[in-house]
Coordinates of all heavy atoms in Angstrom, one line a residue:
M1 N -7.7 10.2 -35.5 CA -7.0 10.7 -34.3 C -5.8 9.7 -34.0 O -6.0 8.5 -34.0 CB -8.0 10.6 -33.1 CG -7.4 11.1 -31.8 SD -8.4 10.9 -30.3 CE -9.8 11.8 -30.7
S2 N -4.7 10.3 -33.7 CA -3.5 9.5 -33.5 C -3.5 8.9 -32.0 O -4.2 9.4 -31.2 CB -2.2 10.3 -33.6 OG -2.1 11.2 -32.6
E3 N -2.8 7.9 -31.8 CA -2.7 7.2 -30.5 C -2.3 8.2 -29.4 O -2.8 8.2 -28.3 CB -1.8 6.0 -30.6 CG -1.9 5.2 -29.3 CD -1.1 3.9 -29.4 OE1 -1.1 3.3 -30.5 OE2 -0.5 3.5 -28.4
A4 N -1.4 9.1 -29.8 CA -0.8 10.1 -28.8 C -1.9 11.0 -28.3 O -1.8 11.6 -27.3 CB 0.3 10.8 -29.4
N5 N -2.9 11.3 -29.2 CA -4.0 12.2 -28.8 C -5.3 11.5 -28.3 O -6.2 12.2 -28.0 CB -4.3 13.1 -30.0 CG -3.2 14.0 -30.4 OD1 -2.5 14.4 -29.5 ND2 -3.0 14.3 -31.6
S6 N -5.2 10.2 -28.2 CA -6.4 9.5 -27.7 C -6.7 9.7 -26.3 O -5.7 9.9 -25.5 CB -6.3 8.0 -28.0 OG -5.3 7.4 -27.3
V7 N -7.9 9.7 -25.9 CA -8.3 9.9 -24.5 C -8.6 8.5 -23.9 O -9.4 7.7 -24.5 CB -9.5 10.9 -24.3 CG1 -10.0 11.0 -22.9 CG2 -9.1 12.2 -24.9
C8 N -8.2 8.3 -22.7 CA -8.4 7.0 -22.0 C -9.1 7.3 -20.7 O -8.8 8.3 -20.0 CB -7.0 6.3 -21.8 SG -7.1 4.8 -20.9
S9 N -9.9 6.4 -20.3 CA -10.5 6.5 -19.0 C -10.4 5.1 -18.3 O -10.8 4.1 -18.9 CB -12.0 6.9 -19.1 OG -12.6 7.0 -17.8
S10 N -9.9 5.0 -17.1 CA -9.7 3.7 -16.4 C -9.9 3.9 -15.0 O -9.9 5.0 -14.4 CB -8.2 3.3 -16.6 OG -7.9 3.1 -18.0
A11 N -10.1 2.7 -14.3 CA -10.3 2.8 -12.8 C -9.6 1.5 -12.2 O -9.6 0.5 -12.9 CB -11.7 2.9 -12.5
L12 N -9.1 1.6 -11.0 CA -8.6 0.5 -10.2 C -9.2 0.6 -8.8 O -9.6 1.7 -8.4 CB -7.1 0.6 -10.1 CG -6.2 0.6 -11.3 CD1 -4.8 0.9 -10.9 CD2 -6.3 -0.8 -11.9
T13 N -9.3 -0.5 -8.2 CA -9.7 -0.6 -6.8 C -8.6 -1.1 -5.9 O -7.9 -2.0 -6.3 CB -11.0 -1.5 -6.6 OG1 -12.0 -1.0 -7.5 CG2 -11.5 -1.5 -5.2
R14 N -8.3 -0.4 -4.8 CA -7.3 -0.8 -3.9 C -7.8 -0.8 -2.4 O -8.6 0.1 -2.1 CB -6.1 0.2 -4.0 CG -5.3 0.1 -5.3 CD -4.6 -1.2 -5.4 NE -3.7 -1.3 -6.5 CZ -4.1 -2.0 -7.6 NH1 -5.2 -2.6 -7.7 NH2 -3.3 -2.0 -8.7
T15 N -7.2 -1.7 -1.6 CA -7.5 -1.7 -0.2 C -6.3 -0.9 0.5 O -5.2 -1.2 0.1 CB -7.6 -3.1 0.4 OG1 -8.6 -3.8 -0.3 CG2 -7.9 -3.1 1.9
V16 N -6.6 -0.1 1.4 CA -5.6 0.7 2.1 C -5.0 -0.2 3.2 O -5.7 -0.6 4.1 CB -6.1 2.0 2.6 CG1 -5.0 2.8 3.3 CG2 -6.7 2.8 1.5
R17 N -3.7 -0.4 3.1 CA -3.0 -1.1 4.1 C -2.6 -0.1 5.2 O -2.5 1.1 5.0 CB -1.7 -1.8 3.6 CG -2.0 -2.7 2.4 CD -0.8 -3.3 1.9 NE 0.3 -2.4 1.9 CZ 1.5 -2.6 1.3 NH1 1.8 -3.7 0.7 NH2 2.5 -1.7 1.4
A18 N -2.2 -0.7 6.4 CA -1.8 0.2 7.5 C -0.7 1.2 7.1 O -0.7 2.3 7.4 CB -1.4 -0.6 8.7
A19 N 0.3 0.6 6.3 CA 1.4 1.5 5.9 C 1.0 2.6 5.0 O 1.8 3.5 4.8 CB 2.5 0.6 5.3
S20 N -0.2 2.5 4.3 CA -0.5 3.5 3.4 C -1.7 4.3 3.8 O -2.4 5.0 3.0 CB -0.8 2.8 2.0 OG -1.5 1.7 2.1
T21 N -2.0 4.3 5.1 CA -3.0 5.2 5.6 C -2.6 6.7 5.2 O -1.5 7.1 5.4 CB -3.2 5.1 7.1 OG1 -3.6 3.8 7.4 CG2 -4.3 6.1 7.7
L22 N -3.6 7.4 4.6 CA -3.2 8.7 4.0 C -3.3 9.9 5.0 O -4.2 10.6 4.9 CB -4.0 8.9 2.8 CG -3.7 8.1 1.6 CD1 -4.6 8.3 0.4 CD2 -2.3 8.3 1.1
H23 N -2.3 10.0 5.8 CA -2.1 11.2 6.6 C -1.3 12.2 5.8 O -1.1 12.0 4.6 CB -1.5 10.9 8.0 CG -0.2 10.1 7.9 ND1 1.0 10.7 7.6 CD2 0.1 8.8 8.0 CE1 2.0 9.8 7.6 NE2 1.4 8.7 7.8
A24 N -0.9 13.3 6.3 CA -0.3 14.4 5.6 C 0.9 14.0 4.7 O 1.0 14.4 3.5 CB 0.1 15.5 6.5
R25 N 1.9 13.2 5.3 CA 3.1 13.0 4.5 C 2.8 12.1 3.3 O 3.2 12.4 2.2 CB 4.2 12.3 5.4 CG 5.5 12.1 4.6 CD 6.6 11.7 5.5 NE 6.9 12.7 6.5 CZ 7.2 12.5 7.7 NH1 7.4 11.3 8.2 NH2 7.5 13.5 8.5
P26 N 2.1 10.9 3.4 CA 1.8 10.1 2.2 C 0.9 10.8 1.2 O 1.0 10.7 0.0 CB 1.3 8.8 2.7 CG 1.0 9.0 4.1 CD 1.7 10.2 4.6
A27 N 0.0 11.7 1.7 CA -0.9 12.4 0.8 C -0.1 13.4 0.0 O -0.3 13.5 -1.2 CB -2.0 13.1 1.6
A28 N 0.9 14.0 0.6 CA 1.7 15.0 -0.1 C 2.6 14.2 -1.1 O 2.8 14.7 -2.3 CB 2.7 15.7 0.9
H29 N 3.1 13.0 -0.8 CA 3.8 12.2 -1.7 C 3.0 11.9 -2.9 O 3.5 11.9 -4.1 CB 4.4 11.0 -1.0 CG 5.3 10.2 -1.8 ND1 6.7 10.4 -1.8 CD2 5.1 9.1 -2.6 CE1 7.3 9.6 -2.6 NE2 6.4 8.7 -3.1
L30 N 1.7 11.5 -2.7 CA 0.8 11.1 -3.8 C 0.6 12.3 -4.7 O 0.7 12.2 -5.9 CB -0.5 10.7 -3.2 CG -1.6 10.1 -4.2 CD1 -2.5 9.2 -3.5 CD2 -2.4 11.2 -4.8
V31 N 0.3 13.5 -4.1 CA 0.1 14.7 -4.9 C 1.3 15.0 -5.8 O 1.2 15.3 -7.0 CB -0.3 15.9 -4.0 CG1 -0.3 17.2 -4.8 CG2 -1.7 15.6 -3.4
Q32 N 2.5 15.0 -5.2 CA 3.7 15.3 -5.9 C 3.9 14.3 -7.1 O 4.4 14.7 -8.1 CB 4.9 15.2 -5.0 CG 5.0 16.4 -4.0 CD 6.1 16.3 -3.0 OE1 6.6 15.2 -2.8 NE2 6.4 17.4 -2.3
A33 N 3.6 13.0 -6.8 CA 3.8 12.0 -7.8 C 2.9 12.1 -9.0 O 3.3 11.7 -10.1 CB 3.6 10.6 -7.2
V34 N 1.7 12.7 -8.9 CA 0.8 12.8 -10.0 C 0.6 14.2 -10.6 O -0.1 14.4 -11.6 CB -0.6 12.2 -9.6 CG1 -0.5 10.8 -9.1 CG2 -1.3 13.1 -8.5
Q35 N 1.3 15.2 -10.0 CA 1.1 16.6 -10.5 C 1.5 16.7 -12.0 O 0.9 17.5 -12.7 CB 2.0 17.5 -9.7 CG 1.4 18.3 -8.6 CD 0.0 18.7 -8.7 OE1 -0.4 19.4 -9.6 NE2 -0.7 18.4 -7.6
S36 N 2.4 16.0 -12.5 CA 2.9 16.2 -13.8 C 2.0 15.6 -14.9 O 2.2 15.8 -16.1 CB 4.3 15.6 -14.0 OG 4.3 14.2 -13.8
F37 N 1.0 14.8 -14.5 CA 0.1 14.1 -15.4 C -1.0 15.1 -15.8 O -1.5 15.9 -15.0 CB -0.5 12.9 -14.8 CG 0.5 11.7 -14.7 CD1 1.0 11.5 -13.4 CD2 0.9 11.0 -15.7 CE1 1.9 10.5 -13.2 CE2 1.8 10.0 -15.6 CZ 2.3 9.7 -14.3
D38 N -1.3 15.0 -17.1 CA -2.4 15.8 -17.6 C -3.8 15.2 -17.3 O -4.8 15.9 -17.2 CB -2.4 16.0 -19.2 CG -1.2 16.9 -19.6 OD1 -0.9 17.8 -18.8 OD2 -0.7 16.6 -20.7
A39 N -3.8 13.9 -17.0 CA -5.0 13.2 -16.7 C -5.8 13.8 -15.5 O -5.1 14.3 -14.6 CB -4.7 11.7 -16.4
K40 N -7.1 13.7 -15.5 CA -7.9 14.0 -14.3 C -7.9 12.8 -13.5 O -8.2 11.7 -13.9 CB -9.3 14.4 -14.7 CG -10.2 14.7 -13.6 CD -11.6 15.1 -13.9 CE -12.4 15.4 -12.7 NZ -13.8 15.6 -13.0
L41 N -7.5 12.9 -12.2 CA -7.3 11.8 -11.3 C -8.2 12.0 -10.1 O -8.2 13.1 -9.4 CB -5.9 11.7 -10.8 CG -4.8 11.6 -12.0 CD1 -3.4 11.8 -11.4 CD2 -5.0 10.2 -12.6
V42 N -9.0 11.0 -9.8 CA -10.0 11.0 -8.7 C -9.8 9.8 -7.8 O -9.7 8.7 -8.3 CB -11.4 11.1 -9.3 CG1 -12.4 11.1 -8.2 CG2 -11.6 12.3 -10.2
L43 N -9.9 10.1 -6.5 CA -9.9 9.0 -5.5 C -11.4 8.9 -5.0 O -11.9 10.0 -4.7 CB -9.0 9.2 -4.3 CG -7.5 9.4 -4.6 CD1 -6.8 9.7 -3.3 CD2 -7.0 8.1 -5.3
L44 N -11.9 7.8 -4.9 CA -13.3 7.6 -4.4 C -13.3 6.7 -3.1 O -12.7 5.6 -3.2 CB -14.2 7.0 -5.4 CG -14.6 7.9 -6.6 CD1 -13.7 7.5 -7.7 CD2 -16.0 7.8 -6.9
R45 N -13.8 7.2 -2.0 CA -14.0 6.4 -0.8 C -15.5 6.4 -0.6 O -16.1 7.4 -0.2 CB -13.3 7.0 0.3 CG -13.5 6.3 1.6 CD -12.6 6.9 2.7 NE -12.9 6.2 4.0 CZ -13.5 6.8 5.0 NH1 -13.9 8.1 4.9 NH2 -13.7 6.1 6.1
G46 N -16.2 5.3 -0.8 CA -17.6 5.3 -0.8 C -18.2 6.2 -1.9 O -17.8 6.1 -3.0
K47 N -19.0 7.1 -1.5 CA -19.6 8.1 -2.4 C -18.8 9.4 -2.5 O -19.2 10.3 -3.2 CB -21.1 8.3 -2.1 CG -21.9 7.1 -2.3 CD -23.3 7.3 -2.0 CE -24.2 6.1 -2.1 NZ -25.6 6.3 -1.9
T48 N -17.8 9.5 -1.7 CA -17.0 10.7 -1.6 C -15.9 10.7 -2.6 O -15.1 9.8 -2.6 CB -16.5 11.0 -0.1 OG1 -17.6 10.8 0.8 CG2 -15.8 12.3 0.0
R49 N -15.7 11.8 -3.3 CA -14.7 11.9 -4.4 C -13.7 13.0 -3.9 O -14.0 14.0 -3.3 CB -15.4 12.4 -5.7 CG -16.4 11.5 -6.2 CD -17.2 12.1 -7.4 NE -16.3 12.2 -8.6 CZ -16.1 11.2 -9.4 NH1 -16.6 10.1 -9.3 NH2 -15.3 11.4 -10.5
A50 N -12.4 12.8 -4.4 CA -11.4 13.7 -4.1 C -10.5 13.8 -5.3 O -10.2 12.8 -6.0 CB -10.6 13.3 -2.9
D51 N -10.1 15.0 -5.6 CA -9.1 15.3 -6.7 C -7.7 14.8 -6.1 O -7.3 15.2 -5.1 CB -9.0 16.8 -6.9 CG -8.0 17.2 -8.0 OD1 -7.2 16.4 -8.4 OD2 -8.1 18.4 -8.4
A52 N -7.1 13.9 -6.8 CA -5.9 13.3 -6.4 C -4.7 14.2 -6.5 O -3.6 13.9 -6.1 CB -5.6 12.0 -7.2
K53 N -4.9 15.4 -7.1 CA -3.9 16.4 -7.2 C -4.0 17.5 -6.1 O -3.3 18.5 -6.1 CB -3.9 17.1 -8.6 CG -3.5 16.1 -9.7 CD -3.5 16.8 -11.0 CE -3.2 15.8 -12.1 NZ -3.1 16.4 -13.4
S54 N -5.0 17.3 -5.1 CA -5.2 18.2 -4.1 C -5.0 17.5 -2.7 O -5.8 16.7 -2.3 CB -6.7 18.8 -4.2 OG -7.0 19.4 -3.0
I55 N -4.0 18.0 -2.0 CA -3.7 17.4 -0.7 C -4.9 17.6 0.3 O -5.3 16.7 1.0 CB -2.4 17.9 -0.1 CG1 -2.0 17.0 1.1 CG2 -2.5 19.4 0.3 CD1 -0.6 17.3 1.6
L56 N -5.6 18.7 0.2 CA -6.7 19.0 1.1 C -7.9 18.0 0.8 O -8.5 17.5 1.7 CB -7.2 20.4 1.0 CG -6.2 21.5 1.5 CD1 -6.7 22.9 1.3 CD2 -5.9 21.2 3.0
D57 N -8.1 17.8 -0.5 CA -9.2 16.8 -0.9 C -8.9 15.5 -0.4 O -9.8 14.8 0.1 CB -9.3 16.8 -2.4 CG -10.2 17.9 -3.0 OD1 -10.6 18.8 -2.3 OD2 -10.5 17.8 -4.2
I58 N -7.6 15.0 -0.5 CA -7.2 13.7 -0.1 C -7.4 13.6 1.4 O -7.9 12.6 1.9 CB -5.8 13.4 -0.5 CG1 -5.7 13.3 -2.0 CG2 -5.3 12.1 0.1 CD1 -4.3 13.3 -2.6
L59 N -6.9 14.6 2.2 CA -7.0 14.5 3.6 C -8.5 14.5 4.1 O -8.8 13.9 5.1 CB -6.2 15.7 4.2 CG -4.7 15.6 4.1 CD1 -4.0 16.9 4.6 CD2 -4.1 14.4 4.8
A60 N -9.3 15.2 3.4 CA -10.7 15.3 3.7 C -11.4 13.9 3.6 O -12.5 13.7 4.2 CB -11.5 16.3 2.9
L61 N -10.8 13.0 2.8 CA -11.4 11.7 2.7 C -11.3 10.9 4.0 O -12.0 9.9 4.2 CB -10.8 10.9 1.6 CG -11.2 11.3 0.2 CD1 -10.4 10.4 -0.8 CD2 -12.7 11.2 -0.1
S62 N -10.3 11.3 4.9 CA -10.0 10.5 6.1 C -9.8 9.0 5.9 O -10.4 8.2 6.5 CB -11.2 10.7 7.2 OG -11.3 12.1 7.5
I63 N -9.0 8.7 5.0 CA -8.7 7.4 4.6 C -8.0 6.6 5.7 O -7.0 7.1 6.2 CB -7.9 7.3 3.3 CG1 -8.7 8.0 2.2 CG2 -7.5 5.9 2.9 CD1 -7.9 8.3 0.9
Q64 N -8.5 5.4 6.0 CA -7.9 4.6 7.1 C -7.6 3.2 6.6 O -8.1 2.8 5.5 CB -8.9 4.5 8.3 CG -9.3 5.9 8.9 CD -8.1 6.6 9.5 OE1 -7.3 6.0 10.2 NE2 -8.0 7.9 9.2
E65 N -6.8 2.5 7.4 CA -6.5 1.1 7.1 C -7.8 0.3 6.8 O -8.7 0.4 7.6 CB -5.7 0.5 8.2 CG -5.4 -1.0 8.0 CD -4.7 -1.6 9.2 OE1 -4.5 -0.9 10.2 OE2 -4.3 -2.8 9.0
G66 N -7.8 -0.5 5.8 CA -8.9 -1.3 5.4 C -9.9 -0.7 4.5 O -10.8 -1.4 4.0
D67 N -9.8 0.6 4.3 CA -10.8 1.3 3.4 C -10.5 0.8 2.0 O -9.4 0.6 1.6 CB -10.6 2.8 3.5 CG -11.2 3.5 4.7 OD1 -11.9 2.8 5.4 OD2 -10.8 4.6 4.9
W68 N -11.6 0.7 1.2 CA -11.5 0.5 -0.2 C -11.6 1.8 -0.9 O -12.4 2.6 -0.7 CB -12.7 -0.4 -0.7 CG -12.5 -1.8 -0.3 CD1 -13.0 -2.4 0.9 CD2 -11.9 -2.8 -1.1 NE1 -12.6 -3.7 0.8 CE2 -12.0 -4.0 -0.4 CE3 -11.3 -2.9 -2.3 CZ2 -11.5 -5.2 -0.8 CZ3 -10.8 -4.1 -2.8 CH2 -10.9 -5.2 -2.1
L69 N -10.6 2.0 -1.8 CA -10.6 3.2 -2.7 C -10.7 2.8 -4.1 O -10.1 1.8 -4.5 CB -9.3 3.9 -2.5 CG -9.0 4.6 -1.1 CD1 -7.7 5.3 -1.2 CD2 -10.1 5.6 -0.8
V70 N -11.4 3.6 -4.9 CA -11.4 3.5 -6.3 C -10.5 4.6 -6.9 O -10.7 5.7 -6.5 CB -12.8 3.5 -6.9 CG1 -12.8 3.5 -8.4 CG2 -13.7 2.4 -6.3
L71 N -9.6 4.3 -7.7 CA -8.7 5.3 -8.3 C -9.2 5.4 -9.8 O -9.2 4.4 -10.5 CB -7.3 4.8 -8.3 CG -6.8 4.1 -7.0 CD1 -5.4 3.6 -7.2 CD2 -6.8 5.1 -5.9
E72 N -9.6 6.6 -10.1 CA -10.1 6.8 -11.5 C -9.1 7.8 -12.2 O -8.7 8.8 -11.6 CB -11.5 7.5 -11.5 CG -12.6 6.5 -11.1 CD -13.9 7.2 -11.2 OE1 -14.0 8.5 -11.3 OE2 -14.9 6.5 -11.1
A73 N -9.0 7.6 -13.5 CA -8.1 8.5 -14.3 C -8.8 8.6 -15.7 O -9.2 7.6 -16.2 CB -6.7 8.0 -14.4
S74 N -8.8 9.8 -16.2 CA -9.2 10.1 -17.5 C -8.3 11.1 -18.2 O -8.0 12.1 -17.5 CB -10.7 10.5 -17.6 OG -10.9 11.7 -16.9
G75 N -8.0 10.9 -19.5 CA -7.2 11.8 -20.2 C -6.1 11.1 -21.0 O -6.1 9.8 -21.0
T76 N -5.3 11.8 -21.7 CA -4.4 11.2 -22.6 C -3.3 10.3 -21.9 O -2.9 9.3 -22.5 CB -3.6 12.2 -23.4 OG1 -3.0 13.1 -22.6 CG2 -4.6 13.0 -24.4
D77 N -3.0 10.6 -20.7 CA -2.0 9.8 -20.0 C -2.6 9.1 -18.7 O -1.9 8.8 -17.7 CB -0.8 10.6 -19.6 CG -1.1 11.9 -18.8 OD1 -2.3 12.1 -18.5 OD2 -0.2 12.6 -18.4
A78 N -3.9 8.7 -18.8 CA -4.6 8.1 -17.7 C -3.9 6.8 -17.3 O -3.8 6.5 -16.1 CB -6.0 7.9 -18.1
G79 N -3.6 6.0 -18.3 CA -3.0 4.7 -17.9 C -1.7 4.8 -17.1 O -1.5 4.1 -16.1
A80 N -0.8 5.7 -17.6 CA 0.4 5.9 -16.9 C 0.2 6.5 -15.5 O 0.9 6.1 -14.5 CB 1.3 6.9 -17.7
A81 N -0.8 7.4 -15.3 CA -1.1 8.0 -14.0 C -1.6 6.9 -13.1 O -1.2 6.9 -11.9 CB -2.1 9.1 -14.2
L82 N -2.4 6.0 -13.6 CA -2.9 4.9 -12.7 C -1.8 4.0 -12.3 O -1.8 3.5 -11.2 CB -4.1 4.1 -13.4 CG -5.4 4.7 -13.3 CD1 -6.5 3.9 -14.0 CD2 -5.9 5.0 -11.9
E83 N -0.9 3.7 -13.2 CA 0.3 2.9 -12.8 C 1.0 3.5 -11.7 O 1.4 2.8 -10.7 CB 1.2 2.7 -14.0 CG 0.7 1.7 -15.1 CD 1.6 1.5 -16.2 OE1 2.9 1.6 -16.0 OE2 1.2 1.3 -17.3
V84 N 1.2 4.8 -11.7 CA 1.9 5.5 -10.6 C 1.1 5.4 -9.3 O 1.7 5.1 -8.3 CB 2.2 6.9 -11.0 CG1 2.7 7.7 -9.8 CG2 3.3 7.0 -12.1
L85 N -0.2 5.7 -9.4 CA -1.0 5.6 -8.2 C -1.0 4.2 -7.6 O -0.9 4.0 -6.4 CB -2.4 6.0 -8.6 CG -2.7 7.5 -8.7 CD1 -4.1 7.7 -9.2 CD2 -2.5 8.2 -7.3
A86 N -1.2 3.2 -8.5 CA -1.2 1.8 -8.0 C 0.1 1.4 -7.4 O 0.2 0.8 -6.3 CB -1.5 0.8 -9.2
G87 N 1.2 1.9 -7.9 CA 2.5 1.6 -7.4 C 2.7 2.2 -6.0 O 3.3 1.6 -5.1
L88 N 2.2 3.4 -5.8 CA 2.3 4.1 -4.5 C 1.5 3.3 -3.5 O 2.0 3.1 -2.3 CB 1.7 5.5 -4.6 CG 2.6 6.6 -5.3 CD1 1.8 7.8 -5.5 CD2 3.8 6.8 -4.5
F89 N 0.3 2.8 -3.8 CA -0.5 2.0 -2.8 C 0.2 0.7 -2.5 O 0.2 0.3 -1.4 CB -1.9 1.8 -3.3 CG -2.8 3.0 -3.1 CD1 -2.9 4.0 -4.0 CD2 -3.5 3.1 -1.9 CE1 -3.7 5.1 -3.7 CE2 -4.3 4.2 -1.6 CZ -4.4 5.2 -2.5
T90 N 0.8 0.1 -3.5 CA 1.4 -1.2 -3.4 C 2.7 -1.1 -2.5 O 2.9 -1.9 -1.6 CB 1.9 -1.8 -4.7 OG1 0.7 -2.0 -5.5 CG2 2.6 -3.1 -4.6
S91 N 3.4 0.0 -2.6 CA 4.6 0.2 -1.8 C 4.4 0.8 -0.5 O 5.3 1.0 0.3 CB 5.6 1.2 -2.6 OG 5.1 2.5 -2.6
G92 N 3.1 1.1 -0.2 CA 2.8 1.8 1.1 C 3.3 3.2 1.1 O 3.7 3.7 2.2
F93 N 3.4 3.8 -0.1 CA 3.9 5.2 -0.2 C 5.3 5.4 0.2 O 5.8 6.5 0.5 CB 3.0 6.2 0.5 CG 1.6 6.2 -0.1 CD1 0.6 5.4 0.4 CD2 1.3 7.1 -1.1 CE1 -0.6 5.4 -0.2 CE2 0.1 7.1 -1.6 CZ -0.9 6.3 -1.2
K94 N 6.1 4.3 0.0 CA 7.6 4.4 0.2 C 8.2 4.6 -1.2 O 8.0 3.9 -2.1 CB 8.1 3.1 0.8 CG 7.5 2.9 2.2 CD 8.1 1.6 2.8 CE 7.6 1.5 4.2 NZ 6.4 0.7 4.3
G95 N 9.0 5.8 -1.3 CA 9.6 6.2 -2.5 C 10.0 5.1 -3.4 O 10.0 5.0 -4.5

């Protein structure tokens, strides 16, 4: 199997800062940023899972400042997708 076709699975843990509390606008920004990836992307808050490509799933998590989130990605471009997600959390969802 070539490297381009290999499947990767990775996870990161992030604490949500006040600037990155996921209300509608930052949730929409997150969904737009990851739509182009083929990877399956999941946000976990405790035992609750959300599809990172679904704004409704993200909003249903009711993510607040101080929450710990696990960001999971699996698929051929999982690493790149996690880099984008991590960057969004680090920047507080500022473009």
Side-chain angles (χ1 to χ4, degrees):
M1 180 187 304
S2 73
E3 188 174 324
N5 293 328
S6 64
V7 175
C8 178
S9 181
S10 301
L12 296 172
T13 303
R14 292 288 184 260
T15 302
V16 179
R17 302 178 325 187
S20 43
T21 300
L22 286 176
H23 53 81
R25 185 171 295 142
H29 188 85
L30 186 154
V31 169
Q32 289 173 344
V34 300
Q35 262 328 305
S36 64
F37 291 101
D38 290 329
K40 179 178 179 184
L41 303 166
V42 176
L43 301 177
L44 290 100
R45 179 176 175 250
K47 294 181 181 181
T48 307
R49 301 172 67 85
D51 178 348
K53 295 181 180 181
S54 167
I55 193 167
L56 293 177
D57 278 8
I58 293 168
L59 293 174
L61 288 178
S62 300
I63 299 166
Q64 300 297 316
E65 177 185 3
D67 286 347
W68 283 89
L69 293 179
V70 176
L71 317 173
E72 290 183 346
S74 60
T76 56
D77 55 1
L82 278 182
E83 285 182 32
V84 168
L85 281 173
L88 287 171
F89 279 90
T90 299
S91 72
F93 293 89
K94 295 180 176 93

